Amino acid sequence: MTEDSSTNARRELARQQEELILALLNRQPKPESVSLRQVEVASRSLLLKRARSIARMHPDLLVKHGSTYLDLVRGYAEVYPGSHPAGPCADAARFLRYLKYGASTSPCTFRQRLGDTGSWLFWIFRRARPAVHQEMSL
Amino acid sequence: MTKLGIGWRPEIARMIEKRDDLDFVEIVAENWSPDHPPQALVDLHERGVQVIPHGISLSLGSAELPDLTRLQRLNAFASRFGSPFVSEHVAFVRGAGLESGHLLPVPRTEAATQVLIENILFAKKHLTVPLVLENIAYLCEWGNSEMSEPEFIREILEATDSMMLLDVANLVANAINHDFDPIAYLRRIPLDRVAYVHIAGGIVIDGIYHDTHAHPVSPTVLDVVSKLTLFTAPPMVMLERDDLFPNESVINMELDAIKHAVQPKLIREAIFA
């Protein structure tokens, strides 16, 4: 690969990757070359993975915020769309600062959240409330 | 004889310590300091258990060259534990100045593949031990692919002369989500380049398989592992469990099931020895 062709290939790759990441983080419409459904599924999966990652560092957050936890993470992701470059620990620490200084919780019921995220929420909750979820199956 | 291993996590450190048939553990390099590794890991290493550093953020498939600091961290781990190699994913995790927080697929075009190959060669040049490359699970796929995934994997491994970390759970996830035959996939990748195998659990929600590493290993994954051993004897196999840790007996049962799944090849070797 010549230097010119490598530079061009990197530029094109950067453009494609930027489009996909921004779409996955709900910052702009999906790229033409990727299916809308797949982007929606992957985007939701990214948010939930981030929520689980934070909960793993601070399980008490689930107990404290209960059914509004996922909304808080969603609000956090709107302010900070990308995970912290230093990794999950730093992202969780930043989330705590966001809760302390920047979040305002909108009221919503557990049932509404359940309708939105289905059994994923059970999964997150089961970590903090094992007794409640022992009888529930995914 | 296939070596048995597990992803080292503090939540299961005691269980790992008690199990005496583990030949190696894998650690996520980003989660620990190579200068101050957990004592339990040091103890295992002193007992003769191999430690494999595993990266999750090199972003080999990015448009930019891999970050030297991250490469040096992998080197530091390999040096600390005398690791025979380090591993990373064939993926990108950042772009547009944002961290996606997840492993994303590289477009399977000739141009993107060449960039990936350049990046891997750059990484290998700066690593002190071989770099083993892992296939990822992806929920969204690029529509502009110019080659199949097995062709893509083969081209990368051969062009960079690298070994592969075959993640069977990722393979099964993709086979379910993107509707292909995992065994046909195995037939088309260079299995002689498999250095080790990842096995993990997942869950199907709304028809989509999610590679969670937090649920039991499915019989389908174990079946593919078993079939893999009909084609090749993987040198090392390991279980990955990252969340919702069950009690020790459940993880021990999963490890036993993995040992059992790699038996067919061992039996064949015994017959033809």
Side-chain angles (χ1 to χ4, degrees):
Chain A
M1 207 178 197
T2 66
E3 199 169 313
D4 274 356
S5 64
S6 174
T7 304
N8 290 339
R10 285 181 185 276
R11 195 175 296 133
E12 173 60 12
L13 184 59
R15 186 192 64 74
Q16 290 177 310
Q17 293 180 337
E18 177 175 336
E19 279 186 358
L20 181 61
I21 286 189
L22 291 174
L24 291 173
L25 300 177
N26 297 312
R27 290 322 228 211
Q28 70 176 37
K30 69 161 193 77
E32 278 183 16
S33 59
V34 184
S35 96
L36 177 61
R37 181 166 182 268
Q38 287 184 2
V39 169
E40 286 172 349
V41 169
S43 179
R44 192 163 60 247
S45 176
L46 280 181
L47 179 77
L48 293 166
K49 183 179 177 187
R50 198 171 181 187
R52 288 197 306 275
S53 177
I54 294 169
R56 196 176 304 139
M57 309 285 172
H58 302 285
D60 52 308
L61 289 173
L62 296 175
V63 178
K64 184 175 176 187
H65 297 289
S67 62
T68 62
Y69 172 68
L70 200 58
D71 263 354
L72 290 170
V73 176
R74 192 175 282 119
Y76 170 63
E78 281 176 16
V79 179
Y80 299 100
S83 292
H84 197 291
C89 289
D91 201 43
R94 190 172 64 180
F95 178 68
L96 291 183
R97 287 196 300 278
Y98 164 81
L99 287 184
K100 194 168 178 184
Y101 301 114
S104 61
T105 314
S106 59
C108 53
T109 65
F110 179 73
R111 202 167 64 177
Q112 283 171 322
R113 299 282 70 71
L114 186 61
D116 184 22
T117 60
S119 48
W120 284 96
L121 194 57
F122 276 111
W123 176 19
I124 291 172
F125 264 73
R126 200 167 60 174
R127 284 189 60 82
R129 306 279 299 277
V132 175
H133 294 283
Q134 262 175 357
E135 295 173 25
M136 298 181 182
S137 67
L138 290 165
Chain B
M1 179 93 174
T2 302
K3 292 181 177 175
L4 184 67
I6 190 167
W8 191 90
R9 307 290 182 266
E11 293 89 342
I12 52 174
R14 284 181 63 82
M15 172 257 137
I16 293 172
E17 185 189 335
K18 281 192 256 177
R19 183 127 185 169
D20 62 6
D21 61 348
L22 293 174
D23 301 292
F24 72 102
V25 293
E26 185 193 73
I27 49 156
V28 176
E30 284 79 352
N31 292 351
W32 306 99
S33 161
D35 300 325
H36 306 286
Q39 188 56 44
L41 195 63
V42 175
D43 293 344
L44 278 175
H45 180 242
E46 285 174 358
R47 207 174 81 189
V49 176
Q50 244 175 4
V51 177
I52 308 295
H54 183 56
I56 56 173
S57 65
L58 257 189
S59 203
L60 290 167
S62 272
E64 302 82 31
L65 288 168
D67 176 41
L68 283 173
T69 310
R70 293 176 202 275
L71 290 167
Q72 282 159 6
R73 190 183 185 83
L74 288 169
N75 280 338
F77 269 111
S79 169
R80 172 67 182 80
F81 290 108
S83 313
F85 52 77
V86 297
S87 54
E88 243 298 351
H89 303 83
V90 177
F92 74 100
V93 300
R94 65 184 68 88
L98 294 169
E99 296 284 326
S100 74
H102 197 59
L103 303 157
L104 299 171
V106 179
R108 293 198 300 270
T109 61
E110 281 298 340
T113 304
Q114 289 312 310
V115 171
L116 174 62
I117 288 169
E118 284 181 2
N119 288 354
I120 293 169
L121 291 174
F122 176 88
K124 288 181 65 152
K125 191 175 147 191
H126 290 87
L127 286 168
T128 52
V129 292
L131 173 63
V132 174
L133 302 168
E134 178 179 358
N135 58 306
I136 64 161
Y138 46 87
L139 289 169
C140 57
E141 186 173 30
W142 298 94
N144 57 352
S145 297
E146 293 167 2
M147 60 188 95
S148 67
E149 193 185 337
E151 287 168 339
F152 174 69
I153 294 288
R154 176 181 286 276
E155 181 163 349
I156 293 159
L157 295 178
E158 290 179 351
T160 63
D161 192 20
S162 298
M163 297 291 277
M164 181 180 187
L165 162 49
L166 174 62
D167 191 315
V168 173
N170 288 348
L171 167 58
V172 168
N174 293 338
I176 292 170
N177 294 338
H178 303 288
D179 195 24
F180 65 81
D181 175 8
I183 306 304
Y185 178 106
L186 289 179
R187 289 179 189 277
R188 295 175 65 198
I189 58 170
L191 291 174
D192 56 329
R193 287 186 180 271
V194 172
Y196 70 121
V197 172
H198 269 179
I199 298 163
I203 188 171
V204 176
I205 296 174
D206 297 333
I208 306 285
Y209 185 97
H210 295 266
D211 176 49
T212 62
H213 298 192
H215 293 89
V217 176
S218 77
T220 310
V221 169
L222 287 173
D223 184 51
V224 173
V225 172
S226 196
K227 292 202 168 79
L228 167 70
T229 62
L230 297 175
F231 304 131
T232 188
M236 303 155 79
V237 295
M238 59 162 277
L239 174 67
E240 286 184 294
R241 182 85 186 204
D242 294 336
D243 207 348
L244 294 181
F245 295 96
N247 63 38
E248 284 184 21
S249 63
V250 175
I251 295 187
N252 276 321
M253 278 169 58
E254 291 206 324
L255 283 166
D256 291 342
I258 289 168
K259 272 174 96 169
H260 180 74
V262 295
Q263 286 298 309
K265 174 69 177 173
L266 299 179
I267 291 167
R268 199 174 68 173
E269 277 177 350
I271 292 169
F272 293 104

